Amino acid sequence: MGQPTPARSTADWWRSGVIYQVYVRSFADGDGDGTGDLAGVRARLPYLAGLGVDALWFTPWYLSPMKDGGYDVADYRVIDPAFGTLAEAEKLIAEARELGIRTIVDIVPNHVSDRHPWFRAALAGGPERDLFHFRPGRGEHGELPPNDWTSEFGGPAWTRLPDGDWYLHLFAPEQPDLNWAHPAVRQEHEDILRFWFERGVAGVRIDSAALLAKDPGLPDFTEGRDPHPYVDRDELHDIYRSWRAVADEYGGIFVGEVWLPDTERFARYLRPDELHTAFNFSFMTCPWDADRLRASIDTTLAEHAPVGAPATWVLCNHDVTRTVTRYGRAGDTGFDFASKSFGVPSDLALGTRRARAAALLSLALPGAVYVYQGEELGLPEADIPLDRIEDPMHARSGGVDPGRDGCRVPLPWVADAVHAGFGGEPWLPQPAGWSAYAADRQAADPGSMLVLYREAIQVRAVLGNGALDWLPAGDGVLAFSRGDVIVVVNLSDAAVDLPAHTRVLLRSGSLDPDGRLPSDTAVWLRR
């Protein structure tokens, strides 16, 4: 259907590419032990090539105690044995490239695992102590944390050691923050970048990219304090300029995880000598509302324009409630981690219709698109039994937040196979009926979510580099053109007439008997 996807060999592929996020532990199990691995990914490379993606972004696959899903890294140059070996990673990078698919790895520069050799040496009193943030406590006997900072996972951002000192961790206690004012920390990470670029990766995703630098005085946090003691500090830009010089040696690219409400400061990270792209969370966190989505799209394009960086679009990732469930909740008013609460009802039929329309919306926008594994299968958020939850967010919140495991359940591949073809008994339980979403079943169904994604990624080539121009539309309707293609997304409660066109290129659902576009449906039209 439509034009074939062009050869994916241009140097600026990242400006309009479709990047597929692989959470290795839950993608495919190649050795039958219940944990996804590199062998499983390699076996599924034909599937990914058939989907038409330009690159794979792998969440951390390094040696890790897995206290935070791999984001607690003990050694960046070693693949965790649960996933495979460095040699297998090199084969995967090469085999994917032969299929026209690039590889992006994940770097977590804010912190390491408490099992990292540096931190172990620091605990033993070595000079490595200067590579972290150790401080004496406050109070008469040092029994109070050095300041009032709180962890992103809840609770204090400090843990006290038997010797009386405290160390900083903006995330879990098993993830001590690095001291980025120390030159050895900077040198090590530049060496890590080179290590992976030399193994053929095309890019690096930077976790928590705005948190690395800390006010050296580690002052108490005061609402509205400027500059913030640990978010978006000016020192970061020198770090990323140094990183950019490394990436340019290899033709590599960066995508940063940058959560900032200030659009001007956000754009600073995308200047020509810093990061190539950054995740756009405004779009992902919008409710299913035409006005708010349009405002997010306009703001995103406007903030990227002055620095010449492409926008990125994403509906879901490994930290967020899956799109089908989120859009299926009545009265959705936007993204809220609290919306993950147990028992919140979701109309999955409604959520699926909206997720299909949202897929066509995101894939039609100018810039790069990220697809989280399982989104192309229309997977909903899974309810995880309390005794099977592994995400530290659950424990750190006192059980209030169920955590992120519900969007990390292992994928269903073969409907009639044991464990839906994932492999061994999955490390997280697959819900009853999970096999109904299996890739093999959807591949044979012209109306499935998988086929919709395949066709949309293929037809997306006809959009070219055309700019987005908004078209007149009624309340609750988004309509814009990109070159010779018109995109209409109906978020209103009633069917709407289509603008003049020569043919329908793609639609997320059937038109009504009068040829009108129903509610919660999107269409791509040729002028």
Side-chain angles (χ1 to χ4, degrees), residues 75-90:
D75 191 330
Y76 274 110
R77 297 172 178 83
V78 176
I79 299 296
D80 195 277
F83 301 146
T85 65
L86 180 59
E88 284 182 282
E90 292 170 339

Side-chain angles (χ1 to χ4, degrees), residues 288 290 293 353-354 356-362 364 470 473-480 486-492 496 498 508 517-524:
W288 188 245
L293 282 167
R353 287 200 306 276
R354 290 176 171 177
R356 290 174 64 90
L360 291 195
L361 171 60
S362 62
W470 291 107
D475 291 343
V477 179
L478 298 175
F480 59 86
I486 296 172
V487 178
V488 184
V489 187
N490 183 11
L491 295 85
S492 73
V496 297
L498 294 176
S508 66
L517 187 67
S519 177
D520 298 322
T521 309
V523 65
W524 293 1

Side-chain angles (χ1 to χ4, degrees), residues 197-217:
F197 281 134
E198 288 172 1
R199 276 152 185 78
V201 305
V204 173
R205 181 262 189 184
I206 307 168
D207 181 71
S208 300
L211 301 184
L212 281 59
K214 314 297 194 292
D215 184 321

Side-chain angles (χ1 to χ4, degrees), residues 164-216:
D165 269 358
W166 298 72
Y167 69 88
L168 176 67
H169 53 84
L170 289 181
F171 293 86
E174 296 86 0
Q175 296 167 294
D177 279 36
L178 290 165
N179 174 16
W180 273 87
H182 198 293
V185 173
R186 293 187 59 162
Q187 185 61 56
E188 169 66 359
H189 281 77
E190 290 178 17
D191 290 347
I192 290 168
L193 293 176
R194 287 190 171 89
F195 179 87
W196 285 104
F197 281 134
E198 288 172 1
R199 276 152 185 78
V201 305
V204 173
R205 181 262 189 184
I206 307 168
D207 181 71
S208 300
L211 301 184
L212 281 59
K214 314 297 194 292
D215 184 321

Side-chain angles (χ1 to χ4, degrees), residues 220-280:
D220 281 344
F221 175 78
T222 302
E223 194 65 40
R225 183 187 183 97
D226 187 23
H228 194 287
Y230 60 84
V231 176
D232 183 36
R233 294 184 60 80
D234 289 342
E235 304 95 301
L236 285 168
H237 298 286
D238 183 54
I239 294 171
Y240 292 134
R241 280 190 287 270
S242 296
W243 283 29
R244 179 61 178 259
V246 174
D248 287 348
E249 293 177 26
Y250 299 92
I253 64 102
F254 292 122
V255 54
E257 182 191 28
V258 182
W259 289 81
L260 290 179
D262 187 320
T263 58
E264 290 185 8
R265 292 194 67 86
F266 172 85
R268 295 176 69 203
Y269 290 84
L270 301 175
R271 290 175 291 193
D273 62 345
E274 294 192 40
L275 308 183
H276 299 74
T277 61
F279 284 138
N280 167 27

Side-chain angles (χ1 to χ4, degrees), residues 250-335:
Y250 299 92
I253 64 102
F254 292 122
V255 54
E257 182 191 28
V258 182
W259 289 81
L260 290 179
D262 187 320
T263 58
E264 290 185 8
R265 292 194 67 86
F266 172 85
R268 295 176 69 203
Y269 290 84
L270 301 175
R271 290 175 291 193
D273 62 345
E274 294 192 40
L275 308 183
H276 299 74
T277 61
F279 284 138
N280 167 27
F281 294 109
S282 166
F283 182 77
M284 181 183 71
T285 57
C286 268
W288 188 245
D289 177 271
D291 291 340
R292 291 181 64 177
L293 282 167
R294 175 166 176 168
S296 173
I297 293 167
D298 284 341
T299 299
T300 298
L301 295 176
E303 70 189 10
H304 285 74
V307 289
T312 64
W313 311 99
V314 60
L315 296 173
C316 184
N317 63 31
H318 64 296
D319 290 332
V320 177
T321 303
R322 281 198 178 273
T323 312
V324 166
T325 298
R326 199 168 71 246
Y327 282 157
R329 289 192 171 122
D332 174 32
T333 58
F335 178 79

Side-chain angles (χ1 to χ4, degrees), residues 374-440:
E375 286 291 285
E376 82 280 13
L377 301 178
L379 296 181
E381 187 82 356
D383 288 328
I384 307 298
L386 288 175
D387 62 348
R388 296 293 300 275
I389 293 176
E390 296 199 10
D391 187 0
M393 289 186 72
H394 175 64
R396 296 278 292 180
S397 69
V400 173
D401 190 323
R404 300 160 294 180
D405 289 344
C407 63
R408 301 175 176 182
V409 174
L411 298 188
W413 290 102
V414 181
D416 296 329
V418 177
H419 307 307
F422 171 72
E425 182 177 353
W427 68 279
L428 281 176
Q430 295 173 318
W434 207 238
S435 61
Y437 297 97
D440 70 329

